[in-house]
Amino acid sequence: MITSIDPNAALFRRNAAAYEALLRELRERLAWAVGGGGEKLQARHVERGKIPVRERIDLLLDPGSPFLELSALAGYGLYGNEVPAAGVVTGIGRVAGVACMIIANDATVKGGSFFAETVRKHVRAQEIAWENRLPCLYLVDCGGAYLPEQDRVFPDFGHFGTTFYHQCRMSADGLPQLSAVFGGCTAGGAYIPALSDESVMVEGTGRIHLGGPPIVKAAIAEEVDGETLGGAAMHARVSGVTDYLATTETEALQRLRDIVANLNWPRDSHATRRPVRPPQHDPAELGGIVGTDLKQPYDVHEVIARLVDGSEWQEFKPEYGATLVCATAHLHGYPVGILANNGVLFSESSTKGAHFIELCNQRRIPLLFLQNITGFMVGVEAERGGIAKHSAKLVYAVATARVPRLTVLIGGSYGAGNYGMCGRGFAPRFLFSWPNARIATMSPQVAATVLTELRRGSLKGEADTAALAALDAETRRQFEEQSDPYYATARLWDDGVIEPAQTRDVLGLCLELIDASTPRYAGPSPVYRM
Ligand code: COA
């Protein structure tokens, strides 16, 4: 494609500078997540002879393996910012040549205990592993449920119990579940290794017991120390609860690698992969193109040109329904069908999108949704043209697509546009956001207008101007706060905030996982399959 972007133009430079500020903020927040429980607790952890969680992951992975970390900013802005990364690191990397999901507790964050966001992150990692046919490796160092939050962690579907339910079902479905135990595993925490296919325990620090020494004393008046009750040597030699005893953490991680190396795991096929070609246009220019003002229009072709191989694609129906760009291309050598917003969705763009999804279904091409959408068109003309039904056709096609789907929020994600462009409710395999993204039913300005008009109507001429102004201001504040991408990622509404320039590589890793698992792909999210 011939670009019309001029990196020296005033608008581009203003946009790029504003976007740089967003990237600095993102990197600062990621540093907070990586810092875990802070310097003092990290030092205590190391003094105890334990390895920090991210170093454990480095030691586990093959040298040079990428690590696709998920939802690093879970918990951001919650609990006084005292639960960085929600106390657990999750992500995908290669171990002994096999792509694996890694779920690793950070014991420096409240003893690695589970808050609501920790459970959601753990469950989400399992969902991704299940759908992409990945073995799960649990690096266990956790104090079970965070007790003051037990009502948000324990009783419901999707809470702690579901993590164990998933573990059993995935194992039964042929996906290995393997654990290495580095710290105390009490009660629920004990079931992570106990339900694993194989587990390794580290002597001296690893503990597994249904009830720790204080509970044993209170329940049956038995006085016992932790090592005797649930130490690694006892479990390896007496109870048989664990399968391997390791004298150091490094040895435990090497044992885990040896187990993966002997899984007899099928090699990746990469049948459809073409040679990888970089885009002709620089992905680093994306910030300068999209900017930080969602109201400022740009041509989404310029974004696609910085994501796909050779900046080349085959556009479907380019003369029709132009506000939804539909195109097939290759990304890191893998085929992909792209649906990208270029304005509000009309009936024409909706039916075109539904048609395009059918083509990709037939040709087994995974779908990529690039969301920047205020919604479907409203008004008399649109309603008389059947927008309600035509938009529903797109939503239906998205929901029932027979190929894997990926979504990136590159701008606004509002109203039913979120549904038509495969928002979280439609269970894409992965969903990432850019730091300029916004997600809500509607923008703060529209929400304030709707709510003040409703209030004005119900007061029937007795409207108090000051009260309406206060409602307007409060609604804007609420919608600003809640549509912020960090508000969303903290609550696990996405799989992470990523930089525009990293997007091509992140999507390449996702497409590689999809390619490896597609021959065995069995339909929509397995959570809803039973
Ligand atoms: N619920 C609430 N808080 C917990 C917790 C839990 N399950 N597990 C740990 N914490 C908190 C501690 O109170 C402490 O908080 P503080 O820093 O505000 O004082 C912090 O996490 C660190 O715990 P600490 O005991 O100092 O860490 P440790 O590394 O020495 O030990 C554990 C870690 C997990 C072995 C130990 O905390 C423990 O045994 N926790 C309770 C386990 C349990 O009974 N779980 C049952 C859940 S169903």
Side-chain angles (χ1 to χ4, degrees):
M1 148 172 180
I2 298 169
T3 182
S4 57
I5 295 297
D6 173 9
N8 292 314
L11 177 64
F12 181 94
R13 283 161 54 167
R14 247 194 340 270
N15 279 348
Y19 215 97
E20 260 318 303
L22 282 193
L23 294 180
R24 275 197 300 278
E25 185 179 69
L26 171 61
R27 290 167 196 164
E28 276 165 26
R29 291 175 182 185
L30 287 171
W32 162 82
V34 170
E39 277 174 28
K40 214 169 113 202
L41 287 170
Q42 295 281 7
R44 185 180 81 165
H45 187 82
V46 173
E47 272 161 26
R48 290 172 168 176
K50 297 172 85 174
I51 301 176
V53 63
R54 286 164 194 278
E55 286 179 37
R56 283 180 187 152
I57 294 173
D58 286 345
L59 288 167
L60 179 64
L61 295 177
D62 294 346
S65 161
F67 182 60
L68 177 58
E69 183 167 346
L70 302 164
S71 298
L73 292 172
Y76 180 79
L78 301 169
Y79 315 106
N81 260 348
E82 279 190 9
V83 191
V88 63
V89 182
T90 63
I92 300 160
R94 285 198 175 270
V95 177
V98 179
C100 294
M101 174 60 76
I102 294 156
I103 301 178
N105 307 113
D106 185 349
T108 68
V109 179
K110 295 288 172 196
S113 56
F114 278 59
F115 291 70
E117 293 70 23
T118 322
V119 176
R120 178 70 198 115
K121 190 165 166 179
H122 189 115
V123 166
R124 175 68 190 140
Q126 291 179 318
E127 288 170 0
I128 290 172
W130 205 344
E131 250 192 334
N132 291 283
R133 310 294 304 167
L134 307 174
C136 290
L137 309 184
Y138 301 90
L139 307 188
V140 192
D141 200 350
C142 96
Y146 182 73
L147 294 172
E149 291 282 320
Q150 67 90 25
D151 64 330
R152 298 178 63 225
V153 171
F154 175 68
D156 200 2
F157 184 80
H159 286 181
F160 217 163
T162 302
T163 68
F164 304 125
Y165 175 67
H166 279 177
Q167 230 179 297
C168 302
R169 303 274 310 199
M170 277 196 279
S171 173
D173 198 17
L175 295 175
Q177 306 291 305
L178 307 169
S179 288
V181 177
F182 300 101
C185 299
T186 309
Y191 280 103
I192 303 176
L195 287 170
S196 289
D197 303 333
E198 290 178 78
S199 73
V200 189
M201 272 183 92
V202 180
E203 198 166 9
T205 47
R207 300 262 167 82
I208 298 177
H209 29 54
L210 289 189
I215 297 176
V216 170
K217 188 173 176 194
I220 59 170
E222 205 174 67
E223 289 204 36
V224 63
D225 65 281
E227 193 61 23
T228 309
L229 185 67
M234 189 282 287
H235 280 313
R237 297 185 181 127
V238 181
S239 71
V241 164
T242 194
D243 307 297
Y244 309 97
L245 181 65
T247 50
T248 62
E249 293 203 5
T250 323
E251 189 188 326
L253 292 163
Q254 182 56 46
R255 175 69 72 171
L256 216 47
R257 288 182 51 78
D258 293 343
I259 297 170
V260 176
N262 288 287
L263 285 177
N264 190 23
W265 197 248
R267 295 282 112 193
D268 302 342
S269 66
H270 300 314
T272 51
R273 193 169 190 185
R274 286 190 186 172
V276 181
R277 288 176 306 141
Q280 280 172 16
H281 304 295
D282 189 354
E285 291 173 345
L286 284 166
I289 294 167
V290 303
T292 56
D293 177 3
L294 291 187
K295 292 202 186 71
Q296 189 184 83
Y298 60 85
D299 182 357
V300 79
H301 291 96
E302 299 285 0
V303 173
I304 299 171
R306 285 157 182 83
L307 294 179
V308 302
D309 290 2
S311 302
E312 287 168 6
W313 59 85
Q314 160 74 23
E315 187 159 345
F316 173 67
K317 273 183 175 305
E319 310 296 332
Y320 186 84
T323 57
L324 184 66
V325 175
C326 299
T328 43
H330 282 75
L331 199 158
H332 271 277
Y334 298 104
V336 65
I338 299 170
L339 294 95
N341 300 117
N342 223 10
V344 68
L345 284 162
F346 293 93
S347 287
E348 293 82 354
S349 19
S350 305
T351 52
K352 168 177 152 181
H355 184 170
F356 181 69
I357 291 172
E358 284 308 322
L359 297 180
C360 291
N361 279 337
Q362 184 205 50
R363 296 165 195 178
R364 300 172 66 85
I365 300 174
L367 297 168
L368 167 62
F369 294 84
L370 298 177
Q371 268 203 26
N372 178 23
I373 184 66
T374 48
F376 291 98
M377 191 60 196
V378 296
V380 174
E381 195 184 332
E383 299 295 353
R384 286 175 64 84
I387 187 75
K389 196 66 184 170
H390 292 308
S391 62
K393 287 175 190 166
L394 177 60
V395 172
Y396 189 96
V398 168
T400 57
R402 298 191 303 280
V403 287
R405 296 155 304 151
L406 303 170
T407 302
V408 184
L409 269 53
I410 64 170
S413 176
Y414 293 112
N418 168 290
Y419 310 148
M421 291 298 291
C422 203
R424 189 68 139 184
F426 287 74
R429 278 214 194 186
F430 292 91
L431 186 150
F432 297 100
S433 308
W434 284 1
N436 60 307
R438 291 288 181 277
I439 177 164
T441 45
M442 55 189 78
S443 69
Q445 192 188 336
V446 177
T449 309
V450 170
L451 283 176
T452 47
E453 282 312 307
L454 284 172
R455 178 69 59 83
R456 201 191 302 277
S458 64
L459 292 175
K460 296 196 180 69
E462 292 162 27
D464 169 347
T465 318
L468 286 178
L471 176 64
D472 181 286
E474 174 52 21
T475 307
R476 278 172 201 267
R477 191 207 56 75
Q478 182 201 341
F479 273 69
E480 287 292 353
E481 181 192 352
Q482 295 181 351
S483 50
D484 189 273
Y486 295 100
Y487 189 92
T489 202
R491 290 161 179 77
L492 280 298
W493 299 345
D494 61 27
D495 296 315
V497 179
I498 58 172
E499 298 188 13
Q502 298 170 330
T503 306
R504 170 177 158 81
D505 291 343
V506 168
L507 291 173
L509 290 170
C510 297
L511 288 167
E512 183 179 339
L513 297 170
I514 284 173
D515 183 68
S517 64
T518 294
R520 287 164 282 153
Y521 176 67
S525 174
V527 179
Y528 305 104
R529 210 198 305 154
M530 57 262 337

